């Protein structure tokens, strides 16, 4: 590929340099010429012949430093793999002590004495050495400069030259994420780390639904002589008092549940992580697949071996995670947290008493969300982060949903998983998506989310096809376990007042759909909306979505259950056709189409094909970078994090083909784009599928990459899969 001017204006001003004067008509594969109709039949984008270019001999750009770095990366990885964890930890410590890692408190104020840790601080306190090695400032203004408030990153900001010296320092901590909510507080994180968080509502609901199983009450006491402090701060007196707790409540923290080896909370948690799943061949029983009850041979086999390998669907195979207080200090922390939270959810007199069933909210009385005609941005792995959702909101999206979060990680207090739940103030209709394998795990997670987060609905993923999720019994594996699906939905809807929605696929195996036999029950179990991705788990993202089956399910759904379709929406015509063909559909969820062209929401609302220019696309990328710096920070780490996720997005965005270059419109999602020239150099650069060219675009917006920088997208570079969760 030709060298491109580094200056953005120079790139975008050349309107015809990208197209050679006399370009011979070539077939995309460089052989025989074909008509546009033949190309479409072969799933090849019918680009106009004057824009076609010979296919490159290699996907790697010759004599390109970024490409050379990518080639050398495997060798560097081999060297790094030989290092022990202790060595890597030592290197990280040394890196933190380098002058480039200035203490955040000192960077914020510019005062060497500002850090309270003094010599014990892990970071450097040498301001002069930091300023000598700090990279040059980036072009543009600091994203945190608002009115007279200072930047929270101070000297470490890559836009420090634009800071105002006379800004008051008192408000610096309030700026970074003042417009974001759903953060994880330290108090909650500590309780989750120590396994002392209480889930009274969830435990009561799980027990009332009969999902606790016979082992719930048949428990033996362990560590009788251990001096334990109860939840109320008092010591366990004798065996009689402990037995009363076991018999009359769901608080069995003194007992080892179904795992005898787990004699304390920490071991129980570890046992839960290693809970085995039954390994057997999944064969659908065609006779029972339409009934929606025991639909696979695996289920029948599990019923025979439930005591040794996996409990039945109505048995809670989860070690008890009720709080176990080992000292008065922890008890005091728990009491303060409970007082700080709502007294109505955990009464002081009888925390284990079952609620009055007459006061329980009926599913129809819950707050409902009307999804009809709303443009719904699907939860997208990696790329569907908060800055990307903000971009889609500015382009017309109505409903947004956070990336899929694993319930186990949330309950363990992992900060990286909780970051997936963050919400921006511009997201007026926002939900979070969770994924789990068992009713009690889901119930506790939704109770925790309702307490700590501000969301409009909670979506349960039962369609994720990724192996690591399916192997744990979550995601699309639940499609083979209808009884467990029932338990999960009932437990979640019975625990919280927020609307519970579910996302599924057509089935586990291709050609053996089963949602049509379950859809009537899903509404009665407590779900308010159901999203159906028109592919099976076995298909992943290959072939086209089966919209005829989605229509069939929507027509069978009860009036209380909203049905949303998902799959291959890539133009406003696709949207119109789906809505016209099946009026019973509430709306359509947009996933990979938004990754490739986020202005799809604008096209649907304005009912037109937007022949967007390269400069307009660049402006969208600029907005994303600004949102990313506000979210991840404007220091060195924040800039490189923004660059990483920008590159992940560009690995999808390069698949877009401008409308003016196509013989047949609109573009289809399954078309493979050939090598082509754009209408200007920037458009040609954006069409490249080379990681070196994506890096070049990032350098236009975020400056030069660090020495030794490499990038490989999480998904396969030239594959059309793994863009969404299910």
């Amino acid at each position: 590929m030709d060298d491109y001017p580094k200056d953005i204006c120079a790139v975008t001003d050349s309107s015809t340099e990208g197209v050679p004067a006399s370009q011979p008509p070539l077939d995309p594969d460089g052989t025989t010429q074909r008509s546009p109709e033949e190309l479409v039949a072969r799933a090849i984008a019918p680009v106009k012949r004057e824009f076609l270019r010979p296919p490159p001999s290699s996907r790697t750009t010759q004599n390109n430093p970024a490409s050379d770095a990518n080639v050398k990366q495997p060798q560097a990885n081999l060297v790094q793999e030989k290092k022990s964890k202790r060595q890597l930890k030592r290197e990280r410590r040394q890196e933190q002590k380098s002058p480039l890692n200035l203490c955040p408190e000192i960077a914020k104020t510019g005062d060497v004495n500002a850090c309270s840790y003094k010599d014990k601080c892990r970071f450097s306190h040498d301001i002069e050495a930091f300023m000598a090695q700090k990279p040059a400032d980036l072009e543009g203004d600091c994203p945190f400069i608002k009115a007279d408030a200072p930047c929270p990153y101070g000297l470490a900001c890559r836009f420090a030259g634009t800071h105002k010296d006379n800004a008051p320092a008192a408000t610096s901590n309030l700026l970074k994420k003042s417009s974001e909510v759903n953060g994880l507080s330290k108090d909650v994180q500590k309780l989750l780390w120590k396994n002392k968080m209480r889930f009274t509502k969830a435990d009561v609901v799980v027990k009332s639904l009969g999902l606790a199983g016979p082992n719930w009450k048949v428990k033996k006491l362990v560590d009788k002589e251990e001096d334990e402090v109860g939840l109320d701060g008092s010591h366990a007196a004798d065996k009689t008092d402990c037995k009363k707790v076991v018999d009359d409540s769901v608080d069995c923290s003194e007992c080892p549940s179904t795992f005898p080896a787990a004699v304390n909370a920490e071991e129980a948690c570890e046992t839960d992580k290693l809970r085995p799943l039954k390994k057997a061949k999944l064969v659908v029983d065609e006779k029972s697949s339409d009934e929606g009850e025991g639909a696979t041979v695996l289920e029948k086999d599990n019923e025979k071996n439930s005591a040794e390998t996996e409990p039945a669907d109505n048995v809670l195979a989860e070690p008890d995670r009720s709080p176990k207080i080992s000292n008065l200090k922890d008890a005091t922390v728990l009491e303060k947290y409970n007082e700080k939270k709502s007294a109505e959810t955990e009464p002081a007199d009888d925390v284990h008493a079952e609620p009055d069933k007459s006061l329980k909210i009926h599913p129809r009385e819950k707050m409902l969300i009307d999804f009809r005609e709303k443009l719904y941005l699907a939860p997208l792995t990696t790329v569907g982060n908060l800055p990307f959702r903000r971009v889609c909101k500015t382009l017309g999206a109505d409903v947004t949903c956070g990336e899929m979060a694993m319930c186990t990680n949330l309950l363990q207090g992992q900060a990286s998983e909780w970051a997936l739940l963050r919400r921006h103030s511009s997201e007026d209709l926002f939900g979070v998506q969770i994924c789990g394998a068992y009713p009690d795990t889901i119930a506790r997670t939704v109770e925790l989310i309702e307490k700590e987060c501000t969301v409009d609905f909670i979506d349960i993923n039962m369609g994720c096809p990724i192996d690591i999720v399916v192997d744990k019994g979550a995601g699309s594996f639940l499609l083979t376990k209808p009884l467990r699906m029932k338990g999960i939905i009932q437990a979640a809807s019975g625990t919280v007042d927020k609307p519970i929605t579910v996302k599924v696929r057509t089935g586990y195996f291709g050609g053996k759909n089963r949602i049509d036999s379950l859809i009537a029950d899903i509404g009665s179990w407590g779900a308010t909306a159901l999203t159906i991705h028109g592919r099976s788990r076995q298909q992943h993202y290959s072939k086209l979505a089966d919209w005829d089956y989605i229509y069939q399910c929507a027509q069978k759904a009860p009036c209380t259950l909203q049905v949303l379709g998902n799959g291959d929406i890539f133009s406003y015509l696709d949207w119109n056709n789906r809505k016209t063909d099946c009026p019973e559909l509430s709306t359509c969820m947009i996933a990979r189409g938004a990754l490739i062209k986020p202005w799809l929401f604008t096209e649907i609302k304005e009912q037109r094909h937007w022949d967007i220019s390269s400069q307009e696309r660049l402006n969208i990328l600029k907005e994303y970078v600004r949102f990313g710096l506000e979210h991840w920070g404007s220091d060195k780490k924040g800039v490189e994090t923004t660059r990483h996720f920008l590159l992940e997005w560009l690995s999808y965005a390069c698949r877009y083909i401008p409308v003016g270059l196509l013989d047949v419109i609109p573009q289809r999602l399954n078309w493979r784009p050939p090598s082509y020239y754009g209408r200007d150099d920037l458009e040609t650069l954006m069409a490249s599928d080379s990681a070196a060219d994506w890096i070049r675009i990032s350098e236009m917006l975020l400056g030069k990459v660090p020495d030794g920088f490499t990038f490989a997208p999480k998904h396969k570079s030239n594959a059309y899969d793994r863009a969404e969760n299910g």
Side-chain angles (χ1 to χ4, degrees), residues 283-286 288-289 292-297 299 479-480 482 514:
V283 181
V284 174
D285 184 0
E286 298 181 357
S288 59
S289 60
E293 291 301 328
T296 63
V297 174
E299 292 181 47
L479 298 176
T480 67
R514 66 175 318 173

Side-chain angles (χ1 to χ4, degrees), residues 209-490:
L209 291 174
L211 299 175
N215 291 333
W216 191 279
K217 292 185 178 180
V218 184
K219 300 175 185 289
K220 296 181 180 179
L221 298 175
V222 290
D223 292 340
K224 301 182 198 175
E225 300 178 357
E226 183 180 0
D227 191 16
E228 290 289 337
V229 180
L231 295 178
D232 57 353
S234 61
H235 295 261
D238 53 17
K239 183 176 179 180
T240 306
D241 294 338
C242 293
K243 186 177 185 302
K244 183 179 180 182
V245 171
V246 173
D247 291 339
D248 299 339
S249 72
V250 295
D251 183 10
C252 304
S253 57
E254 304 295 328
C255 309
S257 187
T258 57
F259 298 93
V263 296
N264 54 45
E266 290 77 7
E267 292 180 3
C269 186
E270 289 298 321
T271 307
D272 174 51
K273 285 190 263 185
L274 300 176
R275 173 174 17 199
L277 291 174
K278 178 65 178 177
K279 298 292 184 180
K281 184 178 180 181
L282 292 173
V283 181
V284 174
D285 184 0
E286 298 181 357
K287 295 182 180 180
S288 59
S289 60
D290 294 334
E291 300 174 2
E293 291 301 328
T296 63
V297 174
L298 175 61
E299 292 181 47
K300 298 177 181 179
D301 188 43
N302 283 343
E303 291 175 1
K304 298 178 182 179
N305 302 279
S306 57
E308 297 81 14
T309 58
E310 180 179 280
D313 289 332
N314 63 341
V315 178
L316 180 65
E318 187 95 6
D320 187 73
R321 303 194 192 100
S322 300
K324 185 176 182 180
I325 310 299
S326 58
N327 54 58
L328 290 173
K329 180 180 178 181
D330 291 337
T332 305
V333 173
L334 182 61
E335 289 177 6
K336 288 182 178 179
Y337 171 77
N338 291 333
E339 292 175 1
K340 187 177 179 181
K341 283 301 171 183
S342 56
E344 63 272 12
T345 57
E346 296 183 10
D349 295 332
D350 189 6
V351 296
H352 301 298
E354 292 196 21
D356 187 356
K357 294 184 178 180
S358 62
L359 300 178
K360 185 179 178 181
I361 298 178
H362 191 275
R364 295 184 181 180
E365 298 176 358
K366 287 188 176 183
M367 180 189 68
L368 300 179
I369 296 178
D370 189 2
F371 290 103
R372 289 177 298 180
E373 307 302 329
K374 288 184 173 63
L375 302 183
Y376 190 163
L377 173 64
L380 301 164
T381 302
T382 305
V383 190
N385 44 62
L386 185 143
F388 179 79
R389 298 198 303 269
R390 289 185 64 183
V391 168
C392 292
K393 283 296 295 183
T394 61
L395 293 171
D398 298 318
V399 185
T400 55
C401 187
E403 302 175 63
M404 182 184 74
M406 298 302 296
C407 292
T408 305
N409 298 340
L410 293 175
L411 293 174
Q412 290 174 353
Q414 294 185 14
S416 59
E417 205 75 12
W418 276 84
L420 305 179
L421 308 183
R422 295 197 70 87
R423 173 185 189 174
H424 191 263
S425 58
S426 62
E427 299 179 273
D428 49 356
L429 189 52
F430 173 78
V432 295
Q433 186 181 73
I434 60 175
C435 184
Y438 296 93
D440 66 323
T441 307
I442 296 285
R444 291 184 171 192
T445 303
V446 297
E447 181 180 355
L448 184 61
I449 291 175
E450 187 178 49
K451 283 182 180 179
E452 303 299 328
C453 300
T454 303
V455 299
D456 298 304
F457 63 92
I458 300 174
D459 186 68
I460 302 176
N461 188 310
M462 296 186 180
C464 180
I466 301 176
D467 293 339
I468 193 173
V469 175
V470 174
D471 291 344
K472 293 180 179 179
S476 56
F477 179 82
L478 292 172
L479 298 176
T480 67
K481 293 283 189 178
L483 292 180
R484 194 182 298 175
M485 288 178 63
K486 175 183 178 181
I488 287 175
I489 297 174
Q490 286 182 335

